[in-house]
Every structure is written in C-alpha cells, then in structure tokens.
Amino acid sequence: MEKIVSASILSADFLNLGSEIKRAEDAGCRYIHFDVMDGVFVPNISYGLPVLKAVAGAARSVLDVHLMITDPLKYVERFAEKGADIITVHLESESDTAGTIERIHSLGKKAGLAIKPKTPVSAAEKYIDMIDMLLVMTVEPGFGGQGFMPDMPAKIEEARKLIGGRAVPIEVDGGINGSTAELVKNAGADILVAGSYLFKAQDMPAAVKSLLY
Ligand code: DX5
Ligand code: ZN
C-alpha cells in the first residue's frame, strides 16, 4: 500500500494546536496521531478527551488515536464519540483484547492493536484476523524524542510475514526520522508515526517527503 505519515502532535506547540495540525496536514501528513497516556500504563501523562474533541474539530485528516492506558475498554466509547477514526489499544493493557477490538468495531471505528518492543509478534497472532492495523512500537511507549530501537526492523519483518496477504497495515511509532524511515519501510511498515522529527524540522514538507521517498 501507499505509505502514510501520521504526525504525532505530542511534539507540537500546544498553545497553537490548530495551526500545528494544519501545518502537518499541509506538509502531507494524512493522519494525525493522538497519544493518550494515563500515568499508569506508561510513566507519563499527556492529554485526553476534551483535547481530542478540539483536535477532531480542527483536523481534516484521519484521527489516529493511540491509547497508552491501563483499561482501554472502559474508555473506547468516549474516544469514539469525540472523533477518533482509528482507535489503537495495547495488547499489554488490562482490558480483554478481543472484547475491546469488538467494542471499537461496534462503535463503527477501525481497531488497531499495539505491541511494546519486548512483546513478541507471536502474541498478536490470535487477533490478526480481527484488527485493521498492527502498531509495532519502535521505542518504549511514554515519551516523544527517544532513539529508535535498532532491533525493531527484524520484528517488523516478522510482523509482515505473520500478516501475509491480509489487508492489515503495519504502523511504526517512535524515533522515526529520515534514516530510520528507510529501515522500517524496507522491513514492511506502511504507516510512519513521527513527532519530534516533523515538528522540530525547519521545513516540514521536506521532512515528510524524506519519510515517504
Ligand atoms: C511515544 C508515542 C509516540 C511519540 C513519538 O510513546 O507513542 O507517538 O510521540 O515521538 P517521536 O517521533 O518523537 O519518537
Ligand atoms: Zn504513539
């Protein structure tokens, strides 16, 4: 499939979120990546429902919501109501994974499944026919601006093999820049999340192109 860049607004200027979203979209990002952290599942707190509602009102692109929270099943309905298009939950969360994916689908949204760097691809196997996207984390979730983990391309290749002919795109998240993008695309990634690389770039359209081509 055609490669997609998903702009993680965790690295945006929050006082100017509307113009930051427009800047990312004008630069060629087709998705806006919205990271929700609860301070329990990951050692950081980001933003949640009221901010998502405002972002949904401003964005023209696909809203790609990444829930790094302990009990996503409890909240997916509210994230759907506030305007998420794709809701991604972690396999390592405490919610029942299959039940959460079904709930996301019953809300009319796409369901993504995320795995942390230490979680093997094989753990996702039993959900592969249920999901609309597999998110392979390329850093430990919790913070923007971390370094890409060099052993992740091999894991992405393994995920690609597991997916086989199914229409399940692979998203990667963490430490993506002009050089790591090449590695993850060669390994089979389709959707590239990038935060600090894009929002700190002098020329965002050029940075997006460097991820795509
Ligand atoms: C990390 C988040 C990422 C983060 C990526 O837990 O899931 O989406 O914003 O940031 P960069 O691209 O700076 O590594
Ligand atoms: Zn993320």
Side-chain angles (χ1 to χ4, degrees), residues 52-53 56 63 65 78-85 109:
L52 179 63
K53 189 179 176 198
L63 262 188
V65 175
R78 275 172 277 174
F79 281 100
E81 272 169 19
K82 300 297 183 209
D85 295 304
K109 306 297 179 182

Side-chain angles (χ1 to χ4, degrees), residues 22-197:
K22 187 172 185 308
R23 199 158 73 87
E25 291 174 339
D26 290 346
C29 299
R30 287 168 54 197
Y31 288 11
I32 296 294
H33 186 83
F34 189 90
D35 289 299
V36 182
M37 305 178 184
D38 67 355
V40 180
F41 183 74
V42 288
N44 197 10
I45 298 176
S46 57
Y47 33 62
L49 294 160
V51 181
L52 179 63
K53 189 179 176 198
V55 166
R60 290 168 280 144
S61 43
V62 172
L63 262 188
D64 172 29
V65 175
H66 178 195
L67 296 182
M68 287 163 275
I69 65 176
T70 305
D71 192 3
L73 180 54
K74 213 158 132 185
Y75 294 98
V76 286
E77 182 168 358
R78 275 172 277 174
F79 281 100
E81 272 169 19
K82 300 297 183 209
D85 295 304
I86 305 170
I87 302 178
T88 297
V89 298
H90 269 269
L91 184 54
E92 307 86 357
S93 78
E94 283 172 13
S95 300
D96 169 60
T97 299
T100 308
I101 293 166
E102 279 165 13
R103 186 85 190 95
I104 295 168
H105 283 152
S106 76
L107 295 162
K109 306 297 179 182
K110 287 191 171 171
L113 183 63
I115 52 174
K116 298 208 274 187
K118 291 192 195 82
T119 302
V121 165
S122 58
E125 188 169 359
K126 60 180 170 196
Y127 307 109
I128 211 76
D129 286 312
M130 304 179 70
I131 58 178
D132 304 296
M133 182 173 90
L134 180 67
L135 168 52
V136 177
M137 290 301 302
T138 42
V139 297
E140 283 298 337
F143 299 91
Q146 302 182 79
F148 179 83
M149 294 172 72
D151 38 345
M152 291 301 113
K155 187 173 175 183
I156 297 162
E157 278 176 26
E158 209 189 312
R160 177 49 65 205
K161 280 199 196 102
L162 171 69
I163 290 166
R166 297 174 182 87
V168 178
I170 297 176
E171 181 173 68
V172 289
D173 184 7
I176 300 300
N177 58 38
S179 51
T180 57
E182 196 63 34
L183 302 174
V184 296
K185 284 188 295 182
N186 287 339
D190 306 292
I191 304 165
L192 279 60
V193 177
S196 50
Y197 178 67

